[in-house]
DNA sequence: ACGCTACGTTCATCTGGCGTACTTAGCCAA
DNA sequence: TTGGCTAAGTACGCCAGATGAACGTAGCGT
């Protein structure tokens, strides 16, 4: 039985891709997470750098805090009242592979002649870093055919 | 100089994440690519499985063909006229790490008790597969501190 | 000539994004 | 104690795009 055939019998709404996309799958959220990952934590600089409407930014921040990907932390700048900034939680930091994957695709296919805007190096050995599929026995998968998907324990079959 | 400081001096619109998100960064596009990756290539099953409005689906397909991620290929079912289906190009298939990253996050943080809906195995050795950051010297990066970002050749400094 | 099917298209409605302007809460200085 | 200042939101009118249902269409076999 081919994977496509098996796939067609599975409920498409029971899917980790769909769940993650429902959580963070819009333009501003990705860019917002990019900024927070790079240490930009406050409303004003976030708004300036993203160019997002303030209302949208506020809504996204509230949603991410609510979902536990960011946490609101108080801070106090000299001569100012206490305000709040947004910090990545572990739950939020775990989205980093998604950002790296998006970045890697952009570098591969959407870069200008000048090259990639950001490079990732391995601290220590200094070599370029890329995303790869690795199995539990530490084999690095190369081709499409090395990957065998199968229904997991959480899969649900379609009723029809 | 900290990375955050350097990051703040870079033009946030010159970014591979932003470019990729502009290309494929909406809910239906991700789910559509998921289906095509799993071998669902035709309009009618795509529409049924996704539940997307037909107009949206048609628009997304046209856009992805236009961008070279999908190609329209003729087919002919017995007793039917020639129609077209949508196949992943290499350019489209290269987005797979993004889908895997989204799926992995969903498995980690959004799965029900039953477990992941889909498992990825290494064909041959049979072990579970996951995404990892690997450097050109084949070191697998573990912690956050192993990763050193720096401005790339395509970076642009902010005017101000 | 006619119905059938897969693939879209149209249309009315409504949600949510957008840009701009405004509000708020506390700190400091006068 | 008044008043200005700043970061962080909120309010609002407008419009692009999503939505769901109905309709259009191009060729196949009968």
């Amino acid at each position: 039985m081919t994977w496509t055939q098996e796939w067609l019998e599975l409920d498409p709404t029971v899917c980790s891709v769909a769940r993650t996309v429902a959580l963070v799958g819009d333009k501003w959220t990705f860019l917002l997470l990019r900024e927070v990952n790079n240490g930009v934590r406050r409303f004003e600089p976030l708004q300036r750098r993203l160019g997002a409407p303030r209302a949208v930014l506020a809504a996204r921040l509230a949603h991410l805090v609510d979902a536990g990907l960011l946490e609101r932390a108080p801070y106090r700048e000299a001569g100012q009242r206490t305000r709040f900034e947004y910090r990545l939680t572990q739950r939020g930091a775990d989205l980093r592979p998604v950002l790296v994957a998006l970045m890697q695709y952009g570098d591969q296919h959407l870069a200008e002649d000048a090259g990639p805007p950001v490079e990732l190096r391995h601290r220590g050995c200094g070599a370029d870093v890329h995303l790869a599929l690795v199995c539990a026995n530490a084999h690095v998968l190369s081709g499409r055919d090395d990957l065998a998907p199968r229904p997991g324990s959480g899969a649900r079959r379609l009723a029809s």
Side-chain angles (χ1 to χ4, degrees), chain A residues 2-158:
Chain A
T2 70
W3 166 248
T4 297
Q5 207 53 45
E6 277 184 295
W7 172 255
L8 286 173
E9 294 168 4
L10 300 179
D11 184 338
T13 67
V14 176
C15 168
S16 287
V17 176
R19 290 191 189 120
T20 305
V21 164
L23 184 65
V24 299
D26 86 300
K27 183 177 98 172
W28 292 124
T29 302
F30 285 122
L31 298 181
L32 175 48
L33 289 169
R34 175 195 73 186
E35 292 299 319
V36 178
N37 255 287
N38 286 291
V40 186
R41 299 193 233 249
R42 301 183 184 174
F43 192 94
E44 220 42 58
L46 285 170
Q47 197 277 323
R48 261 198 318 277
R49 288 181 58 83
L50 297 185
R54 305 173 73 82
V56 172
L57 179 54
R60 294 293 181 278
L61 286 168
H63 178 239
L64 290 176
V65 168
D66 201 56
L69 307 199
L70 298 180
E71 61 186 5
R72 243 166 138 255
Y75 74 96
R76 169 89 187 273
E77 210 82 345
Q80 294 290 314
R81 66 174 167 133
T82 297
R83 301 185 190 280
F84 292 86
E85 60 182 18
Y86 299 88
R87 301 204 185 139
L88 267 186
T89 61
Q90 187 57 48
R91 211 175 155 75
D94 285 349
L95 272 171
R96 181 182 310 222
V98 175
L99 293 177
V100 174
L102 290 168
M103 181 177 126
Q104 185 167 289
Y105 184 87
D107 288 346
Q108 275 176 35
H109 292 286
L110 308 170
E112 297 163 352
D113 295 340
V118 172
E119 288 174 6
L120 300 180
R121 301 292 187 84
H122 183 191
R123 197 190 308 283
C125 99
D128 280 347
V129 164
H130 65 279
L131 269 184
L133 288 170
V134 177
C135 83
N137 295 331
H139 301 129
V140 176
L141 312 220
S142 48
R144 160 162 194 162
D145 299 337
D146 287 348
L147 195 61
R150 30 170 286 174
S153 54
R156 188 183 306 157
R157 297 206 166 273
L158 279 176

